[in-house]
Amino acid sequence: EDQVTQSPEALRLQEGESSSLNCSYTVSGLRGLFWYRQDPGKGPEFLFTLYSAGEEKEKERLKATLTKKESFLHITAPKPEDSATYLCAVQGWGGANSKLTFGKGITLSVRP
Amino acid sequence: DVKVTQSSRYLVKRTGEKVFLECVQDMDHENMFWYRQDPGLGLRLIYFSYDVKMKEKGDIPEGYSVSREKKERFSLILESASTNQTSMYLCAISRGLAGANEQFFGPGTRLTVL
């Protein structure tokens, strides 16, 4: 069974204070690892797909990286508008092939 | 842009009522999903569908049913709503390709059962 664990559960940063969010996973053959951003009361918004270890993707102040066991979402010089919950999900080759397994998310608060 | 719409943003129903939540997509994606999201429990898959008239149980199907009569629409039905079904309901879609299939979500329906 695929599993995703995200840590920490919550993170408070000062504006400009860079940090990383962790996503640890176990999966029966990785098809893809996904990062989402979710604002309160809204649906998750897709950010990145990572396919294999060593891959990196960037979008504005966010950079996602992938190893064989973990993914990190690095936030460089965050701003208050980066405050949100960040979800990680994996899709493996076993089981129903379009299902994703989600972590519980990391709630990021960035203070001005 | 991917467009997934859900029939209501907020819904209040009484215990025992039959509730219909509808999801519509304009992307011609094969797969459609219904999740519920609760604090501390994360996203939990209720049902999903690979094609018209096809459905598969997710992790928590009890108390729910679904219908997919047209490719673009996927309905979630609560046959007899109960207070423990108060939750945020999210619809998602994805393509049915061989590789990694990211899911795109609708805005969600906040359902309260009194």
Side-chain angles (χ1 to χ4, degrees), chain A residues 23-40:
Chain A
C23 171
S24 298
Y25 66 92
T26 56
V27 65
S28 52
L30 182 68
R31 294 175 79 175
L33 184 140
F34 311 93
W35 281 98
Y36 291 84
R37 171 192 169 123
Q38 186 174 23
D39 293 305

Side-chain angles (χ1 to χ4, degrees), chain B residues 33-80:
Chain B
F33 305 81
W34 275 108
Y35 294 87
R36 63 178 284 176
Q37 187 175 35
D38 301 286
L41 297 178
L43 280 164
R44 293 182 290 169
L45 182 64
I46 304 171
Y47 267 97
F48 58 105
S49 170
Y50 291 124
D51 200 352
V52 176
K53 297 193 186 294
M54 302 293 288
K55 61 184 179 184
E56 296 280 345
K57 291 181 180 179
D59 301 317
I60 53 163
E62 298 79 17
Y64 303 94
S65 62
V66 290
S67 173
R68 193 170 180 195
E69 296 296 319
K70 293 185 178 182
K71 188 175 184 179
E72 67 270 20
R73 292 175 184 270
F74 192 36
S75 299
L76 180 69
I77 303 153
L78 287 65
E79 296 289 343
S80 178

Side-chain angles (χ1 to χ4, degrees), chain B residues 1-99:
Chain B
D1 273 0
V2 177
K3 189 110 181 253
V4 182
T5 58
Q6 295 185 227
S7 48
S8 306
R9 290 301 311 275
Y10 300 94
L11 206 54
V12 180
K13 294 293 181 180
R14 297 207 173 272
T15 301
E17 281 193 83
K18 191 168 186 176
V19 181
F20 293 87
L21 303 181
E22 188 170 67
C23 175
V24 179
Q25 56 143 329
D26 68 350
M27 292 301 296
D28 202 35
H29 282 19
E30 290 79 9
N31 304 322
M32 298 187 77
F33 305 81
W34 275 108
Y35 294 87
R36 63 178 284 176
Q37 187 175 35
D38 301 286
L41 297 178
L43 280 164
R44 293 182 290 169
L45 182 64
I46 304 171
Y47 267 97
F48 58 105
S49 170
Y50 291 124
D51 200 352
V52 176
K53 297 193 186 294
M54 302 293 288
K55 61 184 179 184
E56 296 280 345
K57 291 181 180 179
D59 301 317
I60 53 163
E62 298 79 17
Y64 303 94
S65 62
V66 290
S67 173
R68 193 170 180 195
E69 296 296 319
K70 293 185 178 182
K71 188 175 184 179
E72 67 270 20
R73 292 175 184 270
F74 192 36
S75 299
L76 180 69
I77 303 153
L78 287 65
E79 296 289 343
S80 178
S82 62
T83 54
N84 62 12
Q85 293 178 310
T86 291
S87 186
M88 171 70 118
Y89 289 87
L90 290 159
C91 174
I93 66 172
S94 73
R95 299 177 72 182
L97 301 178

Side-chain angles (χ1 to χ4, degrees), chain A residues 25 30 33 50 52-55 65-72:
Chain A
Y25 66 92
L30 182 68
L33 184 140
L50 300 169
S52 58
E55 189 175 3
T65 62
L66 182 64
T67 73
K68 289 187 177 179
K69 294 183 178 181
E70 294 176 303
S71 178
F72 292 93

Side-chain angles (χ1 to χ4, degrees), chain A residues 10-28:
Chain A
L11 183 62
R12 296 186 70 183
L13 299 175
Q14 199 68 35
E15 185 172 2
E17 179 188 0
S18 300
S19 188
S20 296
L21 312 181
N22 175 262
C23 171
S24 298
Y25 66 92
T26 56
V27 65
S28 52

